[in-house]
Amino acid sequence: MEKLTFYAVSAPEKLDRIGAYLAERLSRDVVRHRSGYVLIAMEALDQLLMACHSQSIKPFVESFLHMVAKLLESGEPKLQVLGTNSFVKFANIEEDTPSYHRRYDFFVSRFSAMCHSCHNDPEIRTEIRIAGIRGIQGVVRKTVNDELRATIWEPQHMDKIVPSLLFNMQKIEEADSRTGPPPSPSAADKEENPAVLAENCFRELLGRATFGNMNNAVRPVFAHLDHHKLWDPNEFAVHCFKIIMYSIQAQYSHHVIQEILGHLDARKKDSPRVRAGIIQVLLEAVAIAAKGSIGPTVLEVFNTLLKHLRLSVELEASDSQAPAGGSSSLRTSSRDSDEKIVQNAIIQTIGFFGSNLPDYQRSEIMMFIMGKVPVFGTSTHTLDVSQLGDLGTRRIQIMLLRSLLMVTSGYKAKTIVTALPGSFLEPLLSPSLMEDYELRQLVLEVMHNLMDRHDNRAKLRGIRIIPDVADLKIKREKICRQDTSFMKKNGQQLYRHIYLGCKEEDNVQKNYELLYTSLALITIELANEEVLIDLIRLAIALQDSAIVNEGDLSMFHRCGIMALVAAYLNFVSQMIAVPAFCQHVSKVIEIRTMEAPYFLPENIFRDKCMLPKSLEKHDKNLYFLTNKIAESLGGSGYSIERLSVPYVPQVTDEDRLSRRKSIVDTVSIQVDILANTIPSDDVVSNTEEITFEALKKAIDTSGMEEQEKEKRRLVIEKFQKAPFEEIAAQCESKANLLHDRLAQILELTICPPPSPSGTLTITSGHAQYQSVPVYEMKFPDLCVY
């Protein structure tokens, strides 16, 4: 060998003849089964290959590869292993110039076949499989680095290489508890264990994949998992995609996610467990990709997941509507539970993906999901629910709101306007008044996620009378101007939904807890002096509605509202720390503890709580009194004028448009029918002295608009709540004044003064208005309240 090597190095032009002679001898010996001569010839070829590096080695390599192919084609395991070892040595040699005409198609096919060896002897079978994997690894190393000869990435090669590696990886011990990248195998394991060696080769292959050939390497994985039905259970599938996501370059992660989404679409008619398995794989991929570059697939991920969520709900609804009978009903119930697995997997994926996005992308996703939530009576949502029916629509509403809840978890905006813009707040509050307590709970929880910027919600969990709020160590900051502006614009809307939400007939304990938390969070995060007064007005209005029972609620719900008001006033009184206010609230709670424990949250929400037969006979000392609160707050410098005005829910735009016309450029006459019951401070004189302050108020249109709104709300409320006989009597007493003023302004002929029924018959030059109640008279140029 030494002489032969010296001769070959001294005369490299003779290498091709040497190689041809050795190849001829080896071919003859292989056919004649002379294994000893075969070993000698291959050792000579290996040593010459390692010793000679020149341009003349190209023809010699062709002879060498021809001999390796001969060995691999033989049926003897020893010769196959021998040929593989020689090829691996050749693969580790770095050639100065690539050979573009050389192809490795045969070696890919042969090594892949060896990976699937089914030899009867387990030891020989393992040896052949290891040789096949090492051969594939050699082919990859030899070809993958040369961009001009990237034939190894062609689909026909990847369809052989990847399944061969996965076939050997299936026997690896799965570790679902892995949270980081799978550990690299030791050198001994690589040599002895086919599964570990295959996994290492698979990692190496993916690590060398580039932008253009990433998809060719990933698609055979789906084919293998489909063929071997490895989506259910999906431990191996999850393991494979963890390896993929950790092995590829981070900027290519979105390619893998796109491929998973595409496969989910392709398998949408499969069983629920298969779809759930694919979605759980997507969750694992997203969990890893979210730490790096996700790419442009954010909306595509959510759109595809929401589409499959709707499809799952639709399938569940269609199965539940199918006629039940015997074994078919068992299959239906089993499929329903499987569909719930799919839905929960989708929600988990949406939530995890959304919670790992940057804030600006998360805001877009929140809007995107909210736009999909169907609301009865509207067509603003973009999700097709025509085939779902009422139960299916309710199910999709719950699923979408649960997804939104997970996306908003941990979201921290500097200002509330950023977290709750008008375009998001209005559609979010729409489901809060639906006749479904679970939907209302989800809306409130989403609101809490967005409002709670200082992580105070956990301290407020559970509705209770807190002895000392200071022990909670509430975190809060000074209210910024943007938050104040938000409450001026949207405060009434929030109050309205809390007020009406408290009066729903199907409320359970959790609803009252969430409503209490809503009031407390508004107090902590958004409350200035004006907002505090409005919140106290809201609490008193809830107490009054429970006493009067306007909504015909059950006694449990009425006592629940009373307990909610007690818990909130106890909280807010300690937050603003006015001693007289705290003393009044504490006194009422103390009296309730002794005489009416069902008015306190610790008692009413127990399983067995004795309820009263009525609330009308209770002593007023059991209630929080407006005059006491106003007196205590007024002594501490609070502006209490608004406290004397009972809270009335703000009328929606649709209601307002249907009730009245615009009062711009019209004469508005306010009839002070209940003058005795309206505080004198709130009565505005019809003629004002023109001073600098008056002009300043006239210029400040925003303040005037607020005063006008409050004034109109007050008058409308008095007409709605006062007894009709009292209104009619006061109308009659003021009829003459009204008669004169109307005649002066419009030159109308008014036939006899109003009757005690409170109606007028008015005749003008164009039309006659008969029997119109005073508070509903409407003219083209006149609006009478």
Side-chain angles (χ1 to χ4, degrees):
M1 261 326 293
E2 291 178 0
K3 291 180 180 180
L4 180 61
T5 304
F6 177 77
Y7 176 71
V9 171
S10 302
E13 67 275 3
K14 301 293 185 179
L15 264 176
D16 57 335
R17 290 183 62 187
I18 297 173
Y21 174 75
L22 288 174
E24 182 184 351
R25 286 293 303 270
L26 191 141
S27 298
R28 188 165 62 244
D29 292 336
V30 167
V31 173
R32 295 176 181 177
H33 302 285
R34 296 177 177 176
S35 301
Y37 289 106
V38 172
L39 293 174
I40 292 172
M42 284 310 300
E43 185 178 352
L45 286 169
D46 290 344
Q47 290 193 25
L48 288 173
L49 193 65
M50 299 298 293
C52 302
H53 297 284
S54 66
Q55 293 292 336
S56 303
I57 202 174
K58 300 299 181 189
F60 177 77
V61 169
E62 297 303 322
S63 300
F64 171 79
L65 293 177
H66 178 69
M67 285 318 304
V68 172
K70 283 287 184 182
L71 293 178
L72 295 178
E73 284 178 335
S74 69
E76 296 185 23
K78 289 184 179 180
L79 296 183
Q80 292 178 352
V81 173
L82 179 63
T84 302
N85 292 337
S86 296
F87 183 83
V88 171
K89 293 177 183 177
F90 164 71
N92 290 328
I93 297 175
E94 294 185 7
E95 299 183 52
D96 296 334
T97 57
S99 178
Y100 298 111
H101 67 280
R102 191 185 304 154
R103 297 186 64 86
Y104 297 90
D105 300 9
F106 169 79
F107 295 100
V108 170
S109 300
R110 192 60 198 159
F111 288 138
S112 299
M114 291 170 64
C115 289
H116 292 84
S117 174
C118 297
H119 199 280
N120 294 330
D121 189 337
E123 292 185 3
I124 296 177
R125 181 170 63 241
T126 300
E127 190 177 3
I128 294 174
R129 289 185 178 182
I130 289 176
I133 296 168
R134 293 179 65 230
I136 289 177
Q137 194 172 29
V139 173
V140 171
R141 288 177 179 175
K142 195 65 178 174
T143 61
V144 80
N145 288 329
D146 192 349
E147 296 180 359
L148 298 178
R149 193 179 67 240
T151 56
I152 194 69
W153 295 109
E154 292 176 359
Q156 65 265 29
H157 298 318
M158 285 290 109
D159 289 344
K160 297 173 184 176
I161 292 174
V162 173
S164 300
L165 298 176
L166 296 179
F167 176 77
N168 287 276
M169 286 169 56
Q170 285 181 36
K171 295 186 179 181
I172 195 169
E173 184 178 355
E174 296 295 331
D176 293 335
S177 59
R178 292 176 181 168
T179 56
S184 299
S186 64
D189 289 338
K190 291 180 187 177
E191 297 297 330
E192 299 174 2
N193 191 336
V196 175
L197 184 63
E199 180 178 326
N200 184 63
C201 182
F202 189 50
R203 284 203 196 103
E204 185 177 345
L205 176 69
L206 293 167
R208 298 172 183 269
T210 59
F211 179 84
N213 47 47
M214 175 60 63
N215 294 342
N216 290 341
V218 174
R219 284 171 185 165
V221 178
F222 294 107
H224 180 83
L225 296 174
D226 290 342
H227 180 71
H228 293 274
K229 299 180 180 178
L230 296 173
W231 294 113
D232 178 32
N234 69 338
E235 287 80 5
F236 180 71
V238 170
H239 178 64
C240 285
F241 277 91
K242 279 185 176 181
I243 293 174
I244 292 172
M245 296 303 294
Y246 281 119
S247 299
I248 62 175
Q249 299 178 46
Q251 63 267 30
Y252 303 147
S253 297
H254 63 278
H255 279 289
V256 180
I257 294 174
Q258 281 180 323
E259 289 296 321
I260 299 174
L261 292 172
H263 194 69
L264 182 60
D265 285 336
R267 303 301 298 270
K268 63 183 179 182
K269 295 184 179 179
D270 281 25
S271 68
R273 289 189 173 273
V274 169
R275 286 182 280 126
I278 299 174
I279 294 167
Q280 287 169 357
V281 167
L282 178 64
L283 173 61
E284 295 293 340
V286 162
I288 298 169
K291 300 172 184 176
S293 171
I294 297 178
T297 60
V298 175
L299 280 181
E300 182 183 350
V301 171
F302 284 96
N303 197 31
T304 303
L305 289 173
L306 292 177
K307 181 175 66 176
H308 283 276
L309 182 61
R310 180 193 60 79
L311 177 64
S312 177
V313 173
E314 187 175 327
L315 291 172
E316 183 183 17
S318 62
D319 288 342
S320 62
Q321 293 172 2
S327 61
S328 64
S329 62
L330 293 176
R331 287 196 300 269
T332 299
S333 62
S334 175
R335 185 178 177 90
D336 287 349
S337 62
D338 290 346
E339 290 295 346
K340 286 183 171 59
I341 294 174
V342 175
Q343 294 159 15
N344 290 331
I346 292 175
I347 290 171
Q348 279 187 329
T349 306
I350 289 175
F352 192 90
F353 196 4
S355 61
N356 280 279
L357 291 174
D359 287 346
Y360 71 93
Q361 278 187 322
R362 208 192 301 198
S363 300
E364 294 177 4
I365 296 305
M366 286 157 50
M367 290 292 298
F368 182 75
I369 297 176
M370 198 64 241
K372 299 282 186 180
V373 178
V375 180
F376 291 110
T378 66
S379 58
T380 55
H381 55 87
T382 59
L383 200 66
D384 182 16
V385 293
S386 56
Q387 305 297 324
L388 296 181
D390 289 348
L391 289 177
T393 302
R394 176 188 177 275
R395 183 74 178 160
I396 199 73
Q397 288 171 333
I398 291 176
M399 293 294 106
L400 289 172
L401 287 174
R402 284 178 60 192
S403 304
L404 186 62
L405 179 63
M406 294 195 71
V407 172
T408 55
S409 177
Y411 182 66
K412 295 288 187 294
K414 292 183 179 179
T415 63
I416 195 66
V417 181
T418 307
L420 286 170
S423 56
F424 179 73
L425 180 62
E426 292 184 9
L428 175 63
L429 290 177
S430 296
S432 69
L433 298 181
M434 288 184 178
E435 296 179 355
D436 189 303
Y437 71 92
E438 191 173 355
L439 284 174
R440 298 196 301 272
Q441 289 174 5
L442 289 169
V443 172
L444 290 172
E445 288 176 330
V446 171
M447 292 279 292
H448 297 170
N449 279 347
L450 298 173
M451 279 187 184
D452 184 21
R453 292 171 288 175
H454 298 91
D455 299 321
N456 291 311
R457 184 172 40 162
K459 304 169 185 176
L460 302 169
R461 185 171 290 120
I463 180 172
R464 64 195 188 281
I465 303 297
I466 303 173
D468 190 356
V469 174
D471 292 341
L472 299 181
K473 297 180 180 179
I474 299 291
K475 298 178 184 178
R476 61 185 308 189
E477 296 178 1
K478 185 178 180 181
I479 309 301
C480 65
R481 188 170 61 181
Q482 291 90 335
D483 291 349
T484 302
S485 175
F486 172 84
M487 288 305 294
K488 283 185 177 180
K489 185 178 181 181
N490 302 297
Q492 293 299 326
Q493 191 177 8
L494 293 175
Y495 305 151
R496 175 176 184 266
H497 283 267
I498 292 175
Y499 180 83
L500 298 178
C502 289
K503 298 172 67 176
E504 293 290 346
E505 298 177 353
D506 60 341
N507 279 342
V508 295
Q509 178 180 350
K510 186 176 179 181
N511 290 85
Y512 291 114
E513 290 178 354
L514 293 172
L515 288 163
Y516 162 75
T517 306
S518 299
L519 290 168
L521 285 176
I522 294 175
T523 305
I524 295 169
E525 298 285 350
L526 303 169
N528 54 15
E529 181 179 326
E530 182 180 349
V531 172
L532 283 172
I533 297 297
D534 284 339
L535 289 170
I536 294 172
R537 288 174 58 217
L538 172 61
I540 297 300
L542 284 170
Q543 175 182 263
D544 294 344
S545 70
I547 297 172
V548 179
N549 197 18
E550 295 175 348
D552 196 21
L553 297 173
S554 67
M555 186 56 67
F556 168 77
H557 291 99
R558 294 170 70 185
C559 292
I561 294 175
M562 299 292 282
L564 167 65
V565 172
Y568 174 66
L569 289 180
N570 171 71
F571 176 80
V572 73
S573 64
Q574 295 186 55
M575 285 296 291
I576 61 179
V578 175
F581 186 19
C582 294
Q583 185 177 1
H584 171 64
V585 172
S586 300
K587 184 177 180 181
V588 173
I589 292 174
E590 184 179 348
I591 296 174
R592 287 185 177 186
T593 303
M594 295 183 292
E595 300 181 11
Y598 39 78
F599 283 169
L600 298 176
E602 288 82 357
N603 294 281
I604 186 60
F605 296 123
R606 287 180 179 174
D607 292 336
K608 296 179 181 180
C609 178
M610 298 295 293
L611 298 176
K613 295 182 179 179
S614 66
L615 302 184
E616 287 73 14
K617 298 180 180 180
H618 283 75
D619 185 12
K620 68 176 184 178
N621 290 329
L622 292 172
Y623 303 134
F624 301 100
L625 303 178
T626 306
N627 58 348
K628 294 277 189 183
I629 296 174
E631 181 181 344
S632 61
L633 293 178
S636 298
Y638 281 83
S639 178
I640 59 172
E641 289 79 8
R642 293 170 60 83
L643 267 179
S644 59
V645 182
Y647 171 78
V648 177
Q650 186 184 43
V651 182
T652 61
D653 290 339
E654 293 79 10
D655 294 340
R656 193 181 297 119
L657 290 173
S658 63
R659 281 188 174 185
R660 65 178 178 85
K661 297 180 181 179
S662 174
I663 60 170
V664 179
D665 299 330
T666 62
V667 179
S668 177
I669 301 177
Q670 298 191 1
V671 185
D672 185 12
I673 291 183
L674 301 178
N676 295 329
T677 61
I678 300 176
S680 58
D681 293 339
D682 291 335
V683 179
V684 181
S685 175
N686 289 330
T687 60
E688 290 186 351
E689 182 181 358
I690 300 178
T691 63
F692 174 79
E693 290 297 324
L695 290 173
K696 184 177 179 182
K697 288 181 180 179
I699 294 173
D700 186 10
T701 56
S702 60
M704 290 295 292
E705 287 176 0
E706 289 294 324
Q707 291 180 9
E708 288 294 323
K709 284 182 181 178
E710 191 64 34
K711 208 180 297 181
R712 288 195 297 271
R713 192 183 306 118
L714 178 63
V715 176
I716 291 173
E717 180 194 358
K718 296 303 180 185
F719 276 106
Q720 288 176 340
K721 291 189 174 181
F724 184 78
E725 293 76 14
E726 183 180 349
I727 295 176
Q730 294 188 19
C731 284
E732 186 174 10
S733 66
K734 305 209 175 191
N736 292 331
L737 175 62
L738 181 62
H739 175 280
D740 295 337
R741 294 182 67 180
L742 289 172
Q744 290 175 5
I745 295 174
L746 297 179
E747 298 180 357
L748 298 174
T749 303
I750 302 182
C751 302
S755 61
S757 63
T759 62
L760 293 176
T761 303
I762 302 176
T763 305
S764 71
H766 302 286
Q768 186 174 18
Y769 298 83
Q770 292 185 340
S771 302
V772 182
V774 172
Y775 59 93
E776 288 184 1
M777 289 194 302
K778 298 178 181 179
F779 305 100
D781 300 314
L782 175 67
C783 184
V784 179
Y785 290 87

